[in-house]
């Protein structure tokens, strides 16, 4: 993704998970920066776990390379590893509170 590219848009349909291989990604909610992500970080899991909409916008602050998983592949990976599944369930539970 080129610098300034929108990777995901708040409110958009969640259909992919992104694992950042290179670069920096700014996470915005309601137009305000809430996080900066870099190599080794991931984004997009909440919408995939909740079958919902994107909760924030992700913009490439620099040129970004990312590995992308579709929803089915992401859920297979999460559900196939017990500790990861437990972490995902905790994320969803925290969002419901």
């Amino acid at each position: 993704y080129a610098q300034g590219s929108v990777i995901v848009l708040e409110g958009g349909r969640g259909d992919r998970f992104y694992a950042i291989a290179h670069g920096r990604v700014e996470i915005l909610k309601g137009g305000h920066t809430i996080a900066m992500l870099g190599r080794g970080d991931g984004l997009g899991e909440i919408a995939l776990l909740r079958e919902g909409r994107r909760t924030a916008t992700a913009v490439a602050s620099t040129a970004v390379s990312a590995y992308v998983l579709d929803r089915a592949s992401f859920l297979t990976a999460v559900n196939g590893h017990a500790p990861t599944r437990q972490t995902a369930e905790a994320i969803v539970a925290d969002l419901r509170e």
Side-chain angles (χ1 to χ4, degrees):
Y1 299 90
Q3 182 178 6
S5 297
V6 174
I7 299 169
V8 300
L9 186 61
E10 186 174 352
R13 188 176 70 107
D15 60 352
R16 294 186 180 121
F17 174 78
Y18 301 82
I20 302 168
H22 176 78
R24 303 280 296 159
V25 176
E26 181 180 16
I27 306 299
L28 302 113
K29 187 165 182 76
H32 301 284
T33 300
I34 60 168
M36 289 294 290
L37 304 179
R39 184 171 198 236
D41 291 324
L43 60 107
E45 73 281 359
I46 294 171
L48 297 178
L49 293 169
R50 297 177 72 197
E51 297 185 48
R53 299 290 177 175
R54 298 290 186 193
T55 59
T57 295
V59 178
S61 295
T62 65
V64 171
S65 296
Y67 297 100
V68 181
L69 289 175
D70 61 40
R71 184 172 189 273
S73 298
F74 172 78
L75 292 176
T76 296
V78 168
N79 290 323
H81 184 251
T84 303
R85 184 179 61 249
Q86 291 165 351
T87 300
E89 289 169 359
I91 290 170
V92 172
D94 285 345
L95 294 171
R96 289 184 181 148
E97 295 175 357

